[in-house]
Amino acid sequence: MSIKVRRSIRVRGVLRNVLALWIGVVLMATALQAPATAAPQDTGTPAEDPFYQPPSPLPEGRPGDVIRSRPAAFTVDPFGKSPFEGVKMWQVLYLSENVHGAPIAVSGAVLVPEEEWTGEGERPVVSYAVGTRGLGDECAPSYTLTQGLDYEALMVSDALNRGWAVALTDMEGLGTPGQHTYEVGRSQGMAVLNMARAAQRLPEAGLGGAPVGIWGYSQGGTSAGWAAQLAQSYAPELDLKGVFAGGVPADLLAVAEGLDGSAFVALMFMAAVGYDAAYPELDLDGYLNDRGRELMQKAENMCLVSVDGVVTLIDTLFKKISDYTTSNPLTTPQWREALNANKLGETAPTVPVLQTQAVYDQIIPFEQADTLHKAWCAKGANVTWKTYTLAEHATGMLWSLPDAMTFLTDRFAGKPTEGNCAA
């Protein structure tokens, strides 16, 4: 079979999986939607909305302190934008930190069911770490959740229907001014933990003593993994019960090697932009040729679920790093040091973790995910490792849903788990 034929089959398979995921999310989320009452207020995109502009200077405070908040409306209806009934939502701007320890403002959202919690103890809150959206402010989940355009609305709806509150961070630079530090794990992990703190410190939400669970797949898996590793030292006051991390890009050097020349190489270029934003000394522009500079300019404000995003994905199909650079930055000590500083596995989480992985994941290499769970196990972590043989990246997300929900349900109920590290 020729290379061109094999590539054509791979592209058709990719498009089929993405389409199947999108249709599944829309249909299932619509089925969960309650009758509408009124349309949410349209305040414009984050770039046009003063709410997302942090005060300067930033106010004094602790990581997780709420700078400002306002009511919003969660919807899974992209047409009439009818609110999801029975749920209160607030958009928030809160304090977090970048990888250098400097205070930053991050936006996010808190959603709480209106129905009284009938379970044991306080209502749990899930700090939900979203998957890859893109680099543009319009991709911010605190905004897309109000527009009926969020591809993870199914998972958010499922959590809300269980009576849990959900807190979602936009992460550094997504929604707020500045470039999104895409896949810079330490920044993402702190944003997830501080989002849980912000949810607890938002008086209207009534989540002051809430037990916390963390959820994340794909980019969210990186965020969840880093939150799990940082929790004991960075946010010891949180009553963290368990962490789900699926499809985890744990080692970005290994991920980049797998993506170079693949159908999803655009994700590697996005990560390069994110790392250059977090570590300006990396000087990405100095490695780019004219074609690379043109791509970076397009990517800086791109959302994957958009016409521009689809066009960029198609334009970069099966391209290599060498097509856009004069020399490969990933071979330099500076870039490798920054990437390795955000590599998961050096510290063992102190709470139970469910880590899942699709065996035939075409975006996140199986081997580096397997290495992560073994590293955590070797350090004494309580890890449940589960793989899905008949799955790639998108379907791996769907297959993980019931397992992740059961895992967090059991952790919130106080059920013990010993993981399967011994196996």
Side-chain angles (χ1 to χ4, degrees), residues 260-271:
D260 195 20
S262 77
F264 293 93
V265 68
L267 302 177
M268 178 178 63
F269 299 144
M270 284 171 49

Side-chain angles (χ1 to χ4, degrees), residues 268-313:
M268 178 178 63
F269 299 144
M270 284 171 49
V273 173
Y275 271 77
D276 187 61
Y279 303 93
E281 67 275 13
L282 294 180
D283 186 27
L284 176 60
D285 187 71
Y287 296 90
L288 299 177
N289 57 26
D290 290 342
R291 192 177 183 185
R293 292 188 183 93
E294 182 182 356
L295 176 63
M296 187 168 75
Q297 187 175 12
K298 290 179 181 178
E300 285 176 344
N301 295 299
M302 182 194 75
C303 295
L304 288 183
V305 186
S306 68
V307 174
D308 289 343
V310 172
V311 169
T312 300
L313 284 172

Side-chain angles (χ1 to χ4, degrees), residues 46-292:
E48 304 164 334
D49 188 346
F51 179 85
Y52 287 87
Q53 305 298 313
S56 182
L58 289 175
E60 295 289 330
R62 304 165 295 165
D65 281 356
V66 177
I67 299 171
R68 67 171 72 110
S69 66
R70 70 180 180 192
F74 169 48
T75 180
V76 295
D77 171 16
F79 303 107
K81 298 181 184 177
S82 303
F84 192 101
E85 194 172 78
V87 172
K88 292 182 178 180
M89 175 179 173
W90 297 268
Q91 291 168 326
V92 299
L93 193 68
Y94 67 96
L95 291 174
S96 191
E97 295 179 287
N98 66 17
V99 291
H100 308 291
I104 57 173
V106 175
S107 51
V110 179
L111 299 93
V112 181
E114 291 181 343
E115 190 171 314
E116 186 177 348
W117 170 250
T118 58
E120 301 247 345
E122 300 290 327
R123 183 193 303 274
V125 58
V126 174
S127 192
Y128 191 107
V130 298
T132 297
R133 303 307 177 92
L135 300 175
D137 289 335
E138 289 184 39
C139 319
S142 68
Y143 172 72
T144 57
L145 286 168
T146 68
Q147 303 300 303
L149 298 172
D150 199 286
Y151 71 83
E152 291 179 82
L154 165 65
M155 292 72 176
V156 173
S157 301
D158 197 349
L160 292 168
N161 284 339
R162 293 168 186 264
W164 304 341
V166 179
L168 302 94
T169 177
D170 293 338
M171 298 168 288
E172 181 179 353
L174 199 62
T176 49
Q179 190 64 60
H180 174 38
T181 53
Y182 177 67
E183 278 298 13
V184 179
R186 290 181 183 271
S187 172
Q188 292 175 185
M190 287 187 288
V192 168
L193 293 169
N194 288 326
M195 185 69 245
R197 285 168 159 166
Q200 291 183 339
R201 295 173 192 174
L202 183 67
E204 307 95 294
L207 300 170
V212 176
I214 292 172
W215 171 300
Y217 187 89
S218 193
Q219 181 190 4
T222 303
S223 304
W226 269 103
Q229 287 194 174
L230 291 170
Q232 185 180 39
S233 60
Y234 187 76
E237 83 283 3
L238 290 179
D239 184 15
L240 185 58
K241 299 297 187 182
V243 174
F244 160 64
V248 183
D251 179 352
L252 288 202
L253 282 170
V255 174
E257 183 178 344
L259 288 175
D260 195 20
S262 77
F264 293 93
V265 68
L267 302 177
M268 178 178 63
F269 299 144
M270 284 171 49
V273 173
Y275 271 77
D276 187 61
Y279 303 93
E281 67 275 13
L282 294 180
D283 186 27
L284 176 60
D285 187 71
Y287 296 90
L288 299 177
N289 57 26
D290 290 342
R291 192 177 183 185

